[in-house]
Amino acid sequence: KTSFLDDSFRKNLESALRFGNPLLVQDVENYDPILNPVLNRELRKTGGRVLITLGDQDIDLSPTFTIFLSTRDPTVEFPPDICSRVTFVNFTVTRSSLQTQCLNQVLKAERPDIDQKRSDLLKLQGEFQLRLRHLEKNLLSCLNEAKGRILDDDNVINTLEVLKSEAAEVGRKVDETDQVMAEIENTSRQYHPLSAACSQIYFTIESLHQIHFLYQFSLQFFLDIFHSLLVKNPKLEGLTEPMQRLEAITSSLYSSCNERVARGMLHQDRLVFALLLARIYLKSVSKEESMDAEFQILLRGGEKSAATPSLVEGLNPEQSVAVYRLANSLPAFKNLLQACENPGLASWLAQPSPEKGIPDTLDLWQEDKEFSPCKKSMYKLLAVQALRSDRIPAAALQFVAAVLGEDFLRDTEKEPNMAQVVETQIDPTSPILMCSVPGYDASSRVDDLAAELGKQVSSIAIGSAEGFNEADKAINNAVRSGRWVLLKNVHLAPSWLVTLEKKLHTLQAHTNFRLFLTCEINPSLPVNLLRAGRIFTYEPPPGVRANLLRTFSTVSAARMMKPPSERARLYFMLAWFHAIVQERLRYSPLGWSKNYEFTESDLRVACDTLDTWIESTAMGRTNLPPEKVPWKAIRTLLSDCIYGGKIDNEFDQRLMKSFLEKLFVPGSFDGDFNLAKGVVESSGGAIKDVKMPDGIRRDQFLAWVESLEDQTTPDWLGLPNNAERVLLSSLGQDIVLKLLKMQQLDDEDDELAYSEGEAETTVKESRPAWMRSLMARSGEWVSILPAKLVPLKRTIENIKDPLYRFFEREVNFGIKLLQVVRTDLEDINAIISSGKKQTNHHRELIHQLTKGIIPNHWLRYTIPKSCSVAAWITDFTARVKQLVTISSSVSKQGAPALKTCTVWMGGLFNPEAFVTATRQCVAQANSWSLEELMLDVTVADEQEQPSFDDCSFAVEGLKLSGAVCRTNQLSISSEILTALHLTKLRWIRTDGERKENLIELPVYLNSTREQLLFTVDLPVAQGEEIHEFRERGVAIISSTALN
């Protein structure tokens, strides 16, 4: 037994080759090419000796030599050259084997009598078979020894008689055992739903890594949970009746799995796992409907959009599409369109929490017979998904509560009892990984726990060579003595973690030994370590109050109360600024355009900077007048270095400066200084201003912070209150996409293809459900894609036109991608319907499309990451149709037609190039230089038809986020997005002067705000303040089709 990481690997290999011993090489994910001659069988014969060259040595090869390579990492992928030279044996567990394993365990624990009977009967049946075999042998030997006529041989006749009587007896006994076996099977069948649920839960847990790289769980982890349910389950105390005990075990299975798995998940993903468990529960319980069709409609939310329906009165386009889809998909929703005409619908949709109760008068769905509470909550979830997508998370919580109980998710929100977990649930060789989001340290929890339990703990910071040696020494000592070891920031040394995991795998440790690892959530953490350990995730609690309290706990009272007396107030202002900056990250990309790492270290450096400037200005005095504070220096250092140093978006930089210029001013020492204006109280709904607290002492500020509410509205951060709605909408969309990724392709019963009407009854039912579903969808996608796109015809004249050159590139790009997409979809249809042979490319394609993932070779232009394949197809179709229109215009009217086309800019593959092309076009036509041109933007009102000259171009489909534009003037709006009717882009020669009362707005490609296309200057309406536009993240979005 050896390993590639073993120092004596080569010596062990030579010895095995020479003496013919079998060699087991472990952990072969790190393959060493020294094995190549052995696997290739590069032998040569010299004077009767068979030799093999290993490095620079010739070694005699024994004919009995065999080699076994093994790995514990199920995710490892071997290169083809290794695959072709070895025989693979897959020892990973299958669904049926795990089901049998769990059934045996539960029968042993719950019905040992039945388990014993079954074992005895199996043994008896084996003995009966053996006895019959012996009788047959005896008869054959008698017949072989018979002389003369067989019928005259008494020995043969006697043997036949004995055989007949004994065979009859064995047959009778076999019948008896079959009857007993049938009884045993009947009893075992009661436990089948539990064992099937166990198998489904494990494979769901095992595939959670598709949602996030951190979610890696081993089979042993699940078997430990199952064993603890059967042996150490407090719910079983006092229960003797088998069915009651079975019920208690089943309910404990779901709650225990959720509790233990959710500890290692990020908060936003816990609801996804709970929904998956609810789905498994509905399938395993006979008294509830499995609701597969309803789940499919939930998952395939926006896919039935081949024909764009007419708008439903009172609903926006997205809601109208969703309502039509729902009405055509489920019989219970067939009257949904009429229900939407009910005047009570608008008031229901306007409620802050419409999922809490749908009025019976709305009649959104029809119940042929009374629905169960689970089914009602599922239909409520579907209605909420169609009409108020921001309430999907809340409605999903209600669904989980209806299926698995009110306390099911509440238990995971509680802080785990770490003392009990560490002492009872974790064995010494399993490391405890405390993973936290960047900037949040969980190591203090280990110190507190060690103090609570009276354990000695050795703490070592990882990151240097000395740290590795110290860690190895500490672990070696602690393994013998039973101490605890805490290794901090292990994500800084991922390669060392691989060797640490292998070391832990072979350790014989003291029962009290525990190893704690703290790290940031990082994709470089080794998979085997994550699977071997127990993961706990830590995230800071959301909210301004929690953030301020965290800051006050990190800054000591002595430091804050040092003279001059104004220091505490400046520290409070810094804490407030830090809270605003960090809390806005939750609303990214509205709060900040991307997730910047604003951490506790920024706050620490900012405190040091504040101290330096205060001390250099105060020069030992006990008071510092506000006007003497170096405000400009503090603002500049915070905006350009400490916090602003990591910002790479100009508009985010302006936002940061806007906050600092409002906060760090002499007026902040006044009693009526506003921290936030026009804030809505969450309790009464009244509007108030948040004033700077009076006082100069730390305890006065701390008392003010503690009096704040836990949850504050987004307007505390300068954002519009509907920012919460935007956040929840994207969270709801992410939940559905993650559920779609978790579809199990190999479990035919897991998916049910649904169809509109009876059109698909001709499909062979022998096909798996996912295959029928994919065939229906791929056929629909092919039907909505344009059949072809005609390339633009190039001439000597039109090639000189920059706009023509741009659209020629766009059309050629569209032709190539359209051909790839159509070919792939047609191939899939042929594979499913007529049995065309599939290649690896097709297998990967089917796997991705079934899970709603866009294939990589289709991703040739920028789109948001959280986009499903159905939404992409719809969007791509719209883009190609625009190019078809442009292509036909050019073929009829020539290149000049391009200047008069109204362009959906977000639907171009390369929209920046379009803006550049228009600029070049104007410069070329008027013989102006490009540097002289400036973009002048005019937004037309809905009824208005602006005039266009040779220097202007019409653009449509732009959306304004956070504001409204009327008569070409911007005003703050409570709307999330407002459509800009028709926008005129006009290039004019600049005179170098900038008009007053203009605000520069960014134009982003899509709602993720990752790609800035260009900027525009728009006039601001009278009475509006420019800093408000910046704080609210007002911007123009060119494409919202893939939100």
Side-chain angles (χ1 to χ4, degrees), residues 602-665:
D602 295 326
L603 179 68
R604 213 163 37 244
V605 173
C607 289
D608 294 343
T609 308
L610 212 54
D611 284 343
T612 307
W613 281 96
I614 290 170
E615 273 149 28
S616 66
T617 316
M619 294 187 290
R621 291 194 293 270
T622 54
N623 284 87
L624 181 64
E627 59 275 5
K628 297 276 186 184
V629 175
W631 297 110
K632 192 175 179 187
I634 291 169
R635 285 198 302 262
T636 306
L637 285 167
L638 289 174
S639 70
D640 293 358
C641 307
I642 301 167
Y643 285 91
K646 52 189 75 173
I647 290 177
D648 57 4
N649 182 308
E650 186 190 344
F651 293 93
D652 286 341
Q653 189 70 51
R654 289 179 191 178
L655 171 62
M656 171 94 50
K657 281 185 175 167
S658 167
F659 276 124
L660 289 165
E661 282 164 8
K662 255 177 45 180
L663 189 60
F664 285 88
V665 290

Side-chain angles (χ1 to χ4, degrees), residues 236-269:
L236 295 180
E237 289 172 14
L239 293 179
T240 51
E241 210 274 312
M243 292 316 292
Q244 286 182 342
R245 289 177 67 85
L246 175 60
E247 214 168 288
I249 291 169
T250 306
S251 71
S252 301
L253 172 69
Y254 290 94
S255 56
S256 293
C257 285
N258 186 46
E259 190 187 329
R260 293 207 198 182
V261 173
R263 286 175 195 157
M265 297 180 83
L266 292 169
H267 196 270
Q268 65 196 32
D269 294 333

Side-chain angles (χ1 to χ4, degrees), residues 586-798:
R586 284 183 59 230
Y587 297 95
S588 172
L590 214 56
W592 299 102
S593 66
K594 61 163 74 168
N595 272 310
Y596 299 108
E597 276 194 32
F598 298 126
T599 62
E600 303 302 316
S601 56
D602 295 326
L603 179 68
R604 213 163 37 244
V605 173
C607 289
D608 294 343
T609 308
L610 212 54
D611 284 343
T612 307
W613 281 96
I614 290 170
E615 273 149 28
S616 66
T617 316
M619 294 187 290
R621 291 194 293 270
T622 54
N623 284 87
L624 181 64
E627 59 275 5
K628 297 276 186 184
V629 175
W631 297 110
K632 192 175 179 187
I634 291 169
R635 285 198 302 262
T636 306
L637 285 167
L638 289 174
S639 70
D640 293 358
C641 307
I642 301 167
Y643 285 91
K646 52 189 75 173
I647 290 177
D648 57 4
N649 182 308
E650 186 190 344
F651 293 93
D652 286 341
Q653 189 70 51
R654 289 179 191 178
L655 171 62
M656 171 94 50
K657 281 185 175 167
S658 167
F659 276 124
L660 289 165
E661 282 164 8
K662 255 177 45 180
L663 189 60
F664 285 88
V665 290
S668 58
F669 279 76
D670 298 342
D672 61 345
F673 181 74
N674 288 330
L675 291 172
K677 281 185 188 174
V679 168
V680 178
E681 283 186 352
S682 55
S683 52
I687 293 176
K688 61 168 188 176
D689 292 340
V690 181
K691 304 281 185 191
M692 170 75 92
D694 284 332
I696 53 169
R697 294 173 52 78
R698 181 180 187 272
D699 53 353
Q700 290 170 318
F701 291 119
L702 191 55
W704 182 83
V705 170
E706 284 171 342
S707 70
L708 296 176
E709 294 173 356
D710 281 340
Q711 293 300 321
T712 49
T713 49
D715 48 13
W716 283 60
L717 314 173
L719 288 163
N721 271 337
N722 57 23
E724 194 75 38
R725 198 163 166 178
V726 177
L727 181 73
L728 290 170
S729 287
S730 66
L731 184 61
Q733 188 187 8
D734 285 348
I735 286 170
V736 173
L737 280 171
K738 284 169 182 172
L739 286 171
L740 196 54
K741 276 185 186 173
M742 290 293 293
Q743 292 279 69
Q744 300 291 336
L745 208 78
D746 50 351
D747 187 4
E748 291 181 16
D749 299 327
D750 259 10
E751 276 114 48
L752 181 78
Y754 63 97
S755 59
E756 296 182 14
E758 300 298 312
E760 299 203 10
T761 50
T762 54
V763 177
K764 290 179 189 171
E765 289 305 312
S766 60
R767 293 194 189 110
W770 63 263
M771 197 182 273
R772 299 197 297 273
S773 176
L774 180 60
M775 185 178 179
R777 282 180 288 117
S778 58
E780 186 189 348
W781 292 338
V782 170
S783 69
I784 65 171
L785 282 168
K788 62 174 184 175
L789 175 58
V790 180
L792 300 186
K793 195 173 179 183
R794 183 185 286 197
T795 65
I796 297 167
E797 283 306 309
N798 62 26

Side-chain angles (χ1 to χ4, degrees), residues 24 61 129 234 364 542 578 587 641 837 887:
L24 171 63
L61 177 68
Q129 296 292 335
L364 295 183
H578 181 74
Y587 297 95
C641 307
K837 288 277 187 291
S887 175

Side-chain angles (χ1 to χ4, degrees), residues 713-968:
T713 49
D715 48 13
W716 283 60
L717 314 173
L719 288 163
N721 271 337
N722 57 23
E724 194 75 38
R725 198 163 166 178
V726 177
L727 181 73
L728 290 170
S729 287
S730 66
L731 184 61
Q733 188 187 8
D734 285 348
I735 286 170
V736 173
L737 280 171
K738 284 169 182 172
L739 286 171
L740 196 54
K741 276 185 186 173
M742 290 293 293
Q743 292 279 69
Q744 300 291 336
L745 208 78
D746 50 351
D747 187 4
E748 291 181 16
D749 299 327
D750 259 10
E751 276 114 48
L752 181 78
Y754 63 97
S755 59
E756 296 182 14
E758 300 298 312
E760 299 203 10
T761 50
T762 54
V763 177
K764 290 179 189 171
E765 289 305 312
S766 60
R767 293 194 189 110
W770 63 263
M771 197 182 273
R772 299 197 297 273
S773 176
L774 180 60
M775 185 178 179
R777 282 180 288 117
S778 58
E780 186 189 348
W781 292 338
V782 170
S783 69
I784 65 171
L785 282 168
K788 62 174 184 175
L789 175 58
V790 180
L792 300 186
K793 195 173 179 183
R794 183 185 286 197
T795 65
I796 297 167
E797 283 306 309
N798 62 26
I799 195 62
K800 294 174 186 172
D801 186 343
L803 260 186
Y804 174 84
R805 292 198 297 271
F806 164 74
F807 278 110
E808 186 185 42
R809 281 197 305 273
E810 283 281 305
V811 170
N812 290 344
F813 180 91
I815 289 169
K816 285 178 187 170
L817 187 52
L818 179 64
Q819 191 177 355
V820 168
V821 174
R822 283 192 72 91
T823 305
D824 281 346
L825 292 175
E826 283 162 3
D827 281 354
I828 283 173
N829 271 341
I831 288 164
I832 295 171
S833 58
S834 57
K836 178 183 172 179
K837 288 277 187 291
Q838 41 180 330
T839 62
N840 284 344
H841 165 74
H842 291 130
R843 286 188 193 95
E844 183 62 24
L845 191 66
I846 288 169
H847 176 77
Q848 288 176 323
L849 292 181
T850 306
K851 290 181 179 290
I853 300 168
I854 306 163
N856 288 332
H857 62 284
W858 290 8
L859 290 173
R860 298 189 187 178
Y861 57 93
T862 310
I863 59 159
K865 289 192 184 89
S866 60
C867 172
S868 70
V869 69
W872 184 88
I873 290 271
T874 310
D875 174 70
F876 177 62
T877 303
R879 289 170 188 258
V880 175
K881 282 178 178 172
Q882 173 171 256
L883 293 178
V884 168
T885 309
I886 287 168
S887 175
S888 66
S889 297
V890 173
S891 66
K892 289 171 189 169
Q893 301 167 35
L898 292 171
K899 289 181 184 172
T900 57
C901 282
T902 301
V903 177
W904 168 37
M905 200 164 68
L908 298 171
F909 298 117
N910 193 354
E912 305 107 303
F914 169 72
V915 178
T916 308
T918 58
R919 189 178 191 176
Q920 289 172 345
C921 194
V922 172
Q924 188 175 308
N926 297 288
S927 301
W928 295 336
S929 76
L930 290 169
E931 289 77 14
E932 289 179 310
L933 295 180
M934 187 180 82
L935 188 61
D936 178 56
V937 177
T938 309
V939 179
D941 287 344
E942 202 160 335
Q943 309 306 326
E944 193 184 338
Q945 280 300 327
S947 57
F948 291 89
D949 56 16
D950 287 346
C951 298
S952 51
F953 303 86
V955 171
E956 65 181 358
L958 298 180
K959 299 280 175 76
L960 184 60
S961 169
V964 67
C965 188
R966 292 194 188 93
T967 62
N968 202 38

Side-chain angles (χ1 to χ4, degrees), residues 462 467-468 471-472 475 487 490 493-501 517:
I462 296 296
F468 301 150
D472 282 331
I475 290 169
L487 305 183
V490 293
S495 53
W496 180 76
L497 287 178
V498 176
T499 54
L500 174 67
E501 189 277 325
L517 310 174

